[in-house]
Amino acid sequence: MISNLKTQVLSSLGAVRRASELCEFASSLKSGDLALCGELCVSGYERLDRMFWLDLDENLANFLKSGAYLGYSCEFDGYNEFRLLGSNGLEFKQRKYKLFKPNGEDKIFKFGSLDEISIREIAGIKVGVLICFELRFIELWSRLRGADVILVPAMWGQSRREHYETLCKALALQNRCYILACSDVDLKFSAVFAPDGSKEDVAKFDINLIKKFRKWIDDE
């Protein structure tokens, strides 16, 4: 069962060092931890051989303790792909559906499928993912109604910090769930938003808080 929600921004320079830092973070997680790192947090838009990512996934799984989970996104087979790992390896993956065309992201990556934006069950809780730009589309929020936790890995610009933080808080309030927000590379921001909109660096997962706010809204 998930008991702690965490996020982590990487500080090293270069893909190899950042991959090593990601493994170090994975090794620090305890059973019951669900943690998130940013979008393309290891290499940015740099293309690396797929074996680099497969080896990294294997190393991360070896570092993760049983019952601990870590998510991040990377370029894989031409997609911007979110990957959630546990000690047994890849739990699920999700390819970015809404690519950010103003910076040419649609020329770098292939489009994922809308159907992949769905709720998955991990360690007894319902989890959803919105990758970076996807956070701006409220119609995608509705696809994750009923999720206990929504992960939002991102690589937003520093000038849009207020947008990112405001939308994450609004999503927590609207869907009455926990939001793990982590933006890396340019905007360095990480936080956990609770169903009541409060923000913490690390949060205890409390299913009763989710139920309380959902019941309160439904009874109105």
Side-chain angles (χ1 to χ4, degrees):
M1 184 66 181
I2 299 300
S3 54
N4 299 300
L5 304 173
K6 301 180 177 181
T7 56
Q8 181 74 14
V9 169
L10 304 181
S11 59
S12 302
L13 297 178
V16 173
R17 290 182 178 178
R18 290 173 74 84
S20 178
E21 185 181 352
L22 187 63
C23 288
E24 184 178 346
F25 176 58
S27 69
S28 73
L29 298 176
K30 299 178 175 58
S31 181
D33 287 349
L34 173 60
L36 177 68
C37 288
E39 178 192 31
L40 305 175
C41 62
V42 170
S43 63
Y45 289 118
E46 180 185 356
R47 287 186 178 270
L48 300 175
D49 187 272
R50 74 192 309 269
M51 285 307 301
F52 178 93
W53 302 112
L54 293 175
D55 287 344
L56 177 57
D57 280 358
E58 183 177 355
N59 287 332
L60 289 170
N62 289 334
F63 280 114
L64 287 167
K65 300 174 181 65
S66 178
Y69 300 89
L70 173 63
Y72 74 106
S73 101
C74 66
E75 183 279 321
F76 192 83
D77 286 345
Y79 293 93
N80 183 342
E81 185 171 277
F82 175 82
R83 306 169 75 77
L84 186 76
L85 294 141
S87 61
N88 292 323
L90 187 66
E91 294 285 340
F92 73 82
K93 61 185 180 181
Q94 181 176 315
R95 292 164 171 173
K96 190 174 182 180
Y97 167 65
K98 287 284 190 181
L99 299 177
F100 189 55
K101 294 182 181 180
N103 73 350
E105 197 176 35
D106 58 319
K107 305 295 191 300
I108 301 171
F109 301 115
K110 295 181 283 187
F111 287 87
S113 169
L114 174 62
D115 291 338
E116 290 190 20
I117 302 177
S118 61
I119 295 173
R120 278 79 170 217
E121 188 164 319
I122 298 294
I125 69 169
K126 296 176 181 178
V127 176
V129 179
L130 293 175
I131 305 171
C132 198
F133 187 50
E134 294 173 342
L135 177 64
R136 285 196 178 274
F137 297 87
I138 296 179
E139 63 268 27
L140 300 182
W141 295 16
S142 63
R143 296 183 65 86
L144 300 180
R145 289 293 297 271
D148 302 314
V149 177
I150 298 176
L151 311 174
V152 190
M155 190 169 63
W156 281 41
Q158 180 66 38
S159 63
R160 293 179 174 86
R161 176 190 175 107
E162 184 178 354
H163 294 192
Y164 182 59
E165 186 169 351
T166 298
L167 286 168
C168 285
K169 180 177 180 177
L171 179 55
L173 290 168
Q174 176 65 23
N175 283 28
R176 277 88 73 188
C177 66
Y178 288 92
I179 305 298
L180 270 67
C182 188
S183 178
D184 211 329
V185 182
D186 187 2
L187 170 61
K188 301 282 189 180
F189 176 89
S190 65
V192 180
F193 293 87
D196 62 359
S198 62
K199 183 178 71 172
E200 301 179 66
D201 292 332
V202 177
K204 291 285 185 183
F205 175 76
D206 183 0
I207 192 66
N208 291 321
L209 185 61
I210 295 173
K211 291 178 178 178
K212 172 186 174 182
F213 275 87
R214 286 181 180 170
K215 184 178 186 304
W216 175 65
I217 295 294
D218 291 342
D219 286 346
E220 283 293 306

